[in-house]
């Protein structure tokens, strides 16, 4: 069977610096790549130290951009973003303070149009059934139930859908 040639420490470092120069990445992603390339742990530590020291990788900077982009461009709520960051091995001690800086009104600004649109397109036999379907949808987008209820209970939303 065909086996991949293992790359050297210098080749790995070169590839990762090039990758980080083109886009923002977190240390978890870089470590995953190094493991995938079967780089030994001592070399991984040296490479990560270099990337962090020279600001190619900065988990706080990455997390700040990631959270901002997912809220503004993808319409995700906190729970979904937290899960995505967990999958990228970003520590909660990095992400929680960044989430705390976000004004709850910013979430509502993203959530209101999502709920309004979903209310317009959701078919149901009663307002209760419709709101349950919309709640389930908004929760799948990562929004907290208290914010969802606040938007659904808002009389303006229901007035505009009928």
């Amino acid at each position: 069977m065909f086996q991949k040639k293992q790359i050297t420490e210098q080749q790995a470092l070169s590839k990762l610096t090039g990758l980080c120069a083109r886009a923002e990445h977190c240390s978890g992603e870089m470590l995953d790549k190094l493991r995938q390339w079967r780089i030994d742990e001592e070399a991984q530590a040296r490479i990560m130290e270099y990337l962090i020291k020279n600001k190619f990788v900065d988990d706080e900077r990455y997390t700040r951009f990631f959270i901002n982009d997912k809220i503004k461009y993808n319409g995700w709520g906190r729970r979904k973003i937290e899960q995505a960051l967990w999958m990228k091995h970003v520590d909660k001690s990095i992400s929680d303070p960044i989430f705390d800086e976000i004004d709850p009104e910013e979430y509502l600004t993203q959530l209101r149009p999502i709920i309004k649109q979903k209310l317009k397109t959701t078919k149901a036999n009663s307002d209760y059934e419709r709101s349950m379907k919309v709640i389930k949808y908004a929760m799948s987008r990562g929004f907290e139930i208290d914010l969802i209820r606040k938007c659904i209970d808002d009389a303006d939303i229901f007035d505009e859908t009928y």
Side-chain angles (χ1 to χ4, degrees), residues 8 11 28 33 37 44 56 70 83 89 96 98 115 125 133 135 153 158:
T8 66
Q11 289 171 322
K33 289 251 184 240
W37 294 334
Q44 287 180 28
F56 283 101
K70 295 302 175 188
Q83 184 179 25
H89 312 291
D96 282 350
I98 297 170
I115 287 182
N125 295 326
K133 287 181 177 182
I135 288 171
D153 291 342
F158 275 106

Side-chain angles (χ1 to χ4, degrees), residues 9-158:
E9 180 178 342
Q10 192 57 44
Q11 289 171 322
L13 179 61
S14 178
K15 282 185 173 193
L16 294 182
T17 55
L19 190 64
C20 290
R22 288 188 301 274
E24 202 65 52
H25 293 280
C26 65
S27 58
E29 291 173 325
M30 298 298 98
L31 285 169
D32 286 345
K33 289 251 184 240
L34 290 169
R35 286 186 206 106
Q36 183 181 18
W37 294 334
R38 293 190 213 109
I39 303 294
D40 70 81
E41 288 188 26
E42 289 178 8
Q44 287 180 28
R46 286 190 297 272
I47 290 170
M48 289 308 300
E49 181 182 351
Y50 178 86
L51 292 174
I52 291 168
K53 181 180 167 193
N54 291 290
K55 299 287 186 196
F56 283 101
V57 172
D58 182 338
D59 283 347
E60 184 178 342
R61 182 182 67 209
Y62 171 82
T63 303
R64 191 170 298 283
F65 283 118
F66 187 87
I67 291 171
N68 183 52
D69 287 354
K70 295 302 175 188
I71 291 171
K72 288 186 177 171
Y73 304 116
N74 295 66
W76 287 9
R78 180 177 178 146
R79 300 293 170 237
K80 189 167 183 171
I81 298 169
E82 284 175 336
Q83 184 179 25
L85 289 170
W86 177 81
M87 291 176 69
K88 292 178 177 287
H89 312 291
V90 174
D91 197 79
K92 284 182 73 61
S93 65
I94 295 172
S95 62
D96 282 350
I98 297 170
F99 278 118
D100 293 341
E101 293 172 10
I102 299 170
D103 181 15
E105 190 58 38
E106 191 172 340
Y107 282 119
L108 291 173
T109 302
Q110 295 298 319
L111 182 57
R112 282 185 184 112
I114 291 169
I115 287 182
K116 284 180 183 180
Q117 185 60 38
K118 192 65 178 173
L119 280 168
K120 288 178 185 176
T121 61
T122 301
K123 295 186 181 1
N125 295 326
S126 66
D127 284 344
Y128 175 78
E129 184 182 346
R130 176 184 291 164
S131 63
M132 288 299 107
K133 287 181 177 182
V134 171
I135 288 171
K136 185 177 178 183
Y137 174 74
M139 287 182 76
S140 76
R141 300 289 299 258
F143 290 97
E144 297 92 338
I145 190 68
D146 57 325
L147 293 176
I148 298 167
R149 294 265 9 134
K150 181 177 167 88
C151 287
I152 289 179
D153 291 342
D154 185 352
D156 294 343
I157 290 175
F158 275 106

